[in-house]
Amino acid sequence: MTDIEIARNTKLDSIVDVAKKVGVEEEDLELYGKYKAKFSSELYEKVKDRKNGKLILVTAISPTPLGEGKTTMSIAIADGLRKINKKSILALREPSLGPVFGIKGGATGGGKVQVAPMEDINLHFTGDIHAITAANNLLASLIDNHIYFGNELKFKEVVWKRCVDLNDRQLRVVDTGLSGESKIVPRKDKFDITVASEIMAVLCLSENIKDLKEKLGNILIGYNEEDKPIYAKDLNAQGAMAVLLKDAIKPNLVQTLEHTPAIIHGGPFANIAHGCNSIVATKLALKLADYTITENGFGADLGAEKFLDIKCRKAGIRPDAVVIVATIKALKYHGGIEKDKIQEENIEGLEKGLDNLYRHIANIKDKFGLNVIVAINRFTSDTEKEIEVLRKHLEEKTVELSLVEGWAKGGEGAIDIAEKLVELTEKQENFQYIYELEEGIKEKIEKVATNIYGAKGVIFEESAQKQIERIEKLGYGNLPVCIAKTQYSFSDDPKNLECKDEYNITIRDLDLKTGAGFVVALAGKIMTMPGLPRIPAAENIDIDENGEVEGIF
């Protein structure tokens, strides 16, 4: 059966009953039908004095184009913990329509470990991402309307972009204001995908409505004729944007196919944004259960670094254990085996690809000082010989390994890793950040590039140099850095999978995100508006005469 058929053939509990598993009554739910709900704004205040549970971060090796199953693994672990009578909850990101209709597909897990209702979650869900799109574009329209009616703020440069939650490369650079009206000012503009919008980051890093409104007001939207910054609050835009986001800031509750509670909220990409679900969702989850399982986007070099250096720093939290997800297919892919041959047994390619896994382990264990376990997301094409070789190599590195079969067996297939994680989360850690905020922007970027990416050094192009000078002159040099880089390689070249030779990271530009409170550094040829593949997933998505959705995977 396909994932969507498995999900449809599973009877779900009412969302009211799911909430009761973590001690939440119906009065603190806003129902979106039988199987979806939002938590009330007042719930956190009611539970804030409870002791935090353990936080487990699920990350991965550098992915293949189809991903390595972090969400599948996260769900399996949460269900596995319930199988051994531990109170667990998930805190995951919301899927973007870009991948759903693009190449990667949905983000609700697979097989017997899914969050449901999967079609709703992968499509419009509770409307959070649409609300972010609307708030983003409201601000853009207010800017251009202000310029049209006389430009009292003396805009010389507009840096705020429009957005849409779809992959559309045609919108990367556009000409706007071409109607020919007497007062309209034509200019070049750009679109981002919604999950790269600063408003997505602001929503995910805000603690409550008051904090959200303040951060929205602090968004940098342009520069005036004296090269001084102009903010959203200068247009009195923050109130209207907050109104559009008043429901979106409330975390969403759904369930796994085994009825484990799952909070799904916020969804920035990790290759072009900070890659973590919302602070409010994670902090609430920590109060509601003994074990919270969350994930970052893409591999540990991108997602985990941003989770730890940005989200943990801002939220005042840290993981008690980190799971690094790998597949034998991906290890062979990073060992130089061609994509169409990675399902064939190849011990040499597997062993070469272990270098990628070792580097991720070293980063989490040695650089960040956290407890690590490697989880192998097992596929039917994996041979016993390959599994044994992998186990032997990790034993030599004294790294814990668990073979997880959640896709085929549900929570039963994750009991081993659940038991190991219970022990691992009790071990001492020596958590530290990669850089200190007081360091300069260049120094912070260089520390991430050399310590986490393994680069020889960093090349700052002229435009990046100018932006750094501008940002530090404005007094924002103490913000954390969010490096936008390809997810497929430690380097900034997506084709350099093995990274055998020395390489530099090239920073071509920087974006100052004063609302979210970080600086985005654009590395290599990364785009904040992705394009569709030659054959988009959208071509196989349909709906039948009974209203049943087909083709989402």
Side-chain angles (χ1 to χ4, degrees), residues 23 101 223 231 266 311 314 372 395 467 479 491:
F101 293 115
Y223 295 91
Y231 300 98
K311 179 175 177 177
K314 288 181 179 290
V372 174
E395 281 177 359
Q467 278 294 85
L479 295 179
S491 74

Side-chain angles (χ1 to χ4, degrees), residues 28 30 39-45 209 246 249-251:
D28 280 310
E30 296 176 7
F39 289 116
S40 70
S41 303
E42 298 76 30
L43 178 59
Y44 187 77
E45 284 299 310
I209 278 283
K246 69 179 179 63
I249 195 173
K250 301 171 187 174

Side-chain angles (χ1 to χ4, degrees), residues 329 343 377-384 386-387 405 407-408:
K329 290 195 295 185
Q343 296 198 48
N377 194 7
R378 187 168 190 179
F379 282 74
T380 53
S381 59
D382 301 343
T383 69
E384 292 299 328
E386 287 173 327
I387 292 168
E405 298 181 88
W407 190 93

Side-chain angles (χ1 to χ4, degrees), residues 295-310:
E295 65 175 9
N296 61 243
F298 296 117
D301 58 323
L302 285 174
E305 186 273 319
K306 293 167 184 175
F307 181 94
L308 297 166
D309 276 325
I310 298 176

